Amino acid sequence: MSNWIVVPTILPAMTAALMILALRHDLPRQRIVSVAATAALLAITIGLFVLANEGQPRAYRLGNWPAPFGIVLVLDGLSATMLLLTSALAFLILLYAVKGWDAQGRHFHALFQFQLLGLNGAVLTGDLFNLFVFFEVMLIASYGLMLHGGGAPRLKAGFQYVAINLVASTLFLFAVGLIYAVTGTLNMADLAGKVARVAAADQALLKSGALMLLIVFAIKSALVPLHWWLPATYAATSAPSAALFMIMTKVGAYSILRVYALIFGTEAGALAQLANPWILPAAIVTLVFGSVGMLAGRTLSDLVCFWVVASMGTLLIALGTFELAGVTAALYYLVHSTLTGAALFLLTDLMADRRAQWLDRLIPAREIQRATLIGGLFFLAAIAAVGMPPLSGFIGKLMVLEALRGAPGWPLIWFAILGTSLLMIVGFARAGSTLFWKSRDVNKVEEDPDRRSLLPIMVVGLLLAGTAALSVAAGSAVRSLEGIARQALDPDPYVRAVLGADGRIRATGR
């Protein structure tokens, strides 16, 4: 079964190549192939998640080269969770996109599959250089998806998006160069043992490389003040692309946990817990800034984008503790916020389609078609987003608050989380009352036949059903995520899976 670890990277790569080479002018067949391949990917990641829950990380060595000399992919509970969340989200978004969004430009499905290749590779890779490679695959595909359909606003936002990510990519290369120069390796399992034994004279260089990496991951995670690209980018792109991009910011958070728990964790000697002093303060500012930005939004997409920024602040407040309770809460909130954010972006699109020239602007307009159904979904998405019972956002925030109890300055952190929740309630209440309760005296226009399909609405319903299921099954979900968090914070099983028992001894000097 371990040979299946490589499939989440091979399957989307082969699917994308097939569509470019053989189906580039046949959109109906592209849709069939893309949906079928993503459904197969979902089935495979479910199997890998079950495999990872057996408790031991597993490594796949490409070309059977021994680590740390060859390329290695590693499956553990954390990477399996990210794989499953990515494939489930991608499958639902594809079902939404095939109702017309994919026809607004060229190569949507090929770009979508390349995006999955980058996302899956980034969470499976066992070395920093290939993390950089998969980041670039992911970002190049996201450039195309972001610009899909064209238009001046997307081109302007796309330029900003490309510029900030080029800076991030340059910093990433400098960082891995410094780390390799000092340690002679980029294999994460090998680094986990060698970082503690770096000579004192070289520790400054290694620390510089590690902090550069933290800046890169902070950009990907939209931490303030490196967040400014996200609201403009996500608001300008198509709804399916923005919904898929919800998982991209989570890959930034995943990378922070993987690198700074495995390589620069408690066993890293002088560089132990290097990221801890930086993440928590930045996350609190991110939460506050995103929540205030929600009040200033003039469109629903602006409001949702700033909520995404705020949600990353909440997630990283918990993750920044690098303790079992905090990481467990962060993983629970990661799943919740990904599903909720995707549902909000798709709901924004559904409402904009039905408001004619008013689109998603927060001004009174004509009453929309299926207002009761869509309004009900918006209400559920809003209470999930702000963290009100009974959906998973409430449980997630309770877990974050409990994880921070007793931490330095915890009353201030509690005040920030609870106070910003009130700001979120005000923001969503203002948007909902404007969109659904205030209407101009304008005759309804008959809905376009393509919009009569219930499939897009069903997709949103399924995403919100996921948050409800996460709430109903909170007990078993938290127990599972606690085991995953414990494994992520313990480098030894990961290192043994990659290097073997003898390799662990050589790496640590024990």
Side-chain angles (χ1 to χ4, degrees), residues 49 53 77-78 81 257 323-333 335 399 473-490:
F49 182 80
N53 273 346
L78 181 59
T81 301
L257 177 58
E323 295 178 355
L324 180 61
V327 174
T328 303
L331 293 177
Y332 186 94
Y333 196 83
V335 178
M399 291 176 63
S476 57
V478 169
R479 285 192 294 272
S480 176
L481 292 172
E482 185 177 15
I484 291 168
R486 182 177 286 106
Q487 188 183 71
L489 293 171
D490 182 7

Side-chain angles (χ1 to χ4, degrees), residues 148-485:
H148 181 77
R154 286 182 193 172
L155 187 61
K156 179 181 178 181
F159 178 79
Q160 297 173 351
Y161 181 60
V162 170
I164 188 66
N165 280 290
L166 284 176
V167 172
S169 297
T170 303
L171 282 176
F172 206 147
L173 276 179
F174 286 161
V176 297
L178 285 173
I179 292 171
Y180 185 79
V182 172
T183 63
T185 184
L186 291 176
N187 181 282
M188 288 192 275
D190 203 24
L191 283 168
K194 290 186 174 179
V195 163
R197 297 186 287 114
V198 169
D202 293 329
Q203 286 178 1
L205 280 177
L206 183 57
K207 184 176 182 179
S208 298
L211 290 177
M212 282 186 188
L213 271 185
L214 184 59
I215 293 173
V216 173
F217 299 150
I219 292 173
K220 309 303 182 188
S221 303
L223 271 176
V224 172
L226 304 172
H227 73 288
W228 56 268
W229 59 272
L230 189 149
T233 301
Y234 284 26
T237 191
S238 66
S241 298
L244 183 64
F245 291 174
M246 282 300 302
I247 200 69
M248 279 209 306
T249 51
K250 305 309 187 296
V251 171
Y254 161 87
S255 300
I256 290 173
L257 177 58
R258 177 66 79 198
V259 170
Y260 296 96
L262 175 63
I263 301 175
F264 299 101
T266 55
E267 298 182 10
L271 299 180
Q273 299 179 324
L274 179 66
N276 294 35
W278 303 95
I279 294 176
L280 187 57
I284 295 171
V285 176
T286 301
L287 171 60
V288 173
F289 189 91
S291 301
V292 173
M294 290 175 63
L295 300 180
R298 297 183 178 181
T299 65
L300 183 57
S301 57
D302 288 339
L303 183 146
V304 175
C305 289
F306 277 103
W307 176 82
V308 173
V309 174
S311 71
M312 288 304 300
T314 305
L315 191 160
L316 289 168
I317 285 173
L319 184 63
T321 64
F322 287 97
E323 295 178 355
L324 180 61
V327 174
T328 303
L331 293 177
Y332 186 94
Y333 196 83
L334 183 151
V335 178
H336 150 78
S337 59
T338 301
L339 298 175
T340 303
L344 283 168
F345 278 118
L346 299 184
L347 269 172
T348 300
D349 179 58
L350 288 175
M351 285 184 272
D353 275 351
R354 290 162 170 78
R355 296 182 85 229
Q357 69 268 27
W358 296 280
L359 298 174
D360 66 330
R361 285 177 289 174
L362 298 180
I363 56 175
R366 75 181 189 208
E367 184 180 350
I368 66 172
Q369 298 284 344
R370 295 194 175 111
T372 302
L373 177 57
I374 295 176
L377 291 174
F378 178 80
F379 176 73
L380 290 174
I383 65 173
V386 302
M388 295 176 64
L391 297 182
S392 54
F394 176 70
I395 298 173
K397 284 196 175 181
L398 281 181
M399 291 176 63
V400 173
L401 291 171
E402 183 61 28
L404 272 294
R405 183 192 294 273
W410 70 267
L412 178 62
I413 300 172
W414 274 41
F415 177 78
I417 294 173
L418 296 174
T420 53
S421 295
L422 178 60
L423 294 180
M424 291 180 188
I425 291 172
V426 173
F428 277 108
R430 176 176 71 98
S433 62
T434 301
L435 293 168
F436 296 102
W437 289 353
K438 299 178 183 179
S439 60
R440 294 183 179 181
D441 188 15
V442 179
N443 292 331
K444 288 187 180 181
V445 177
E446 185 66 22
E447 200 172 5
D448 187 281
D450 287 339
R451 296 174 189 159
R452 290 178 184 156
S453 171
L454 284 175
L455 181 59
I457 296 176
M458 288 174 60
V459 169
V460 175
L462 287 172
L463 288 168
L464 294 177
T467 68
L470 194 61
S471 179
V472 171
S476 57
V478 169
R479 285 192 294 272
S480 176
L481 292 172
E482 185 177 15
I484 291 168

Side-chain angles (χ1 to χ4, degrees), residues 30-45:
Q30 284 188 34
R31 288 171 172 171
I32 294 171
V33 171
S34 186
V35 171
T38 308
L41 178 64
L42 176 57
I44 291 166
T45 55

Side-chain angles (χ1 to χ4, degrees), residues 11-12 15-16 19 27-42 85-103 107-117 119-120 145 148 238-245 342-343 346 349 453 455-460 462-463:
L11 180 58
T15 304
M19 286 189 288
L27 182 58
R29 290 186 180 179
Q30 284 188 34
R31 288 171 172 171
I32 294 171
V33 171
S34 186
V35 171
T38 308
L41 178 64
L42 176 57
L85 181 61
T86 299
S87 58
L89 183 68
F91 179 70
L92 291 175
I93 291 170
L94 265 184
L95 294 181
Y96 187 97
V98 296
K99 297 306 296 181
W101 268 112
D102 57 346
H107 306 306
F108 175 87
H109 291 283
L111 290 168
F112 195 93
Q113 294 297 323
F114 277 126
Q115 180 82 28
L116 293 181
L117 165 63
L119 291 167
N120 293 342
L145 287 174
H148 181 77
S238 66
S241 298
L244 183 64
F245 291 174
L346 299 184
D349 179 58
S453 171
L455 181 59
I457 296 176
M458 288 174 60
V459 169
V460 175
L462 287 172
L463 288 168

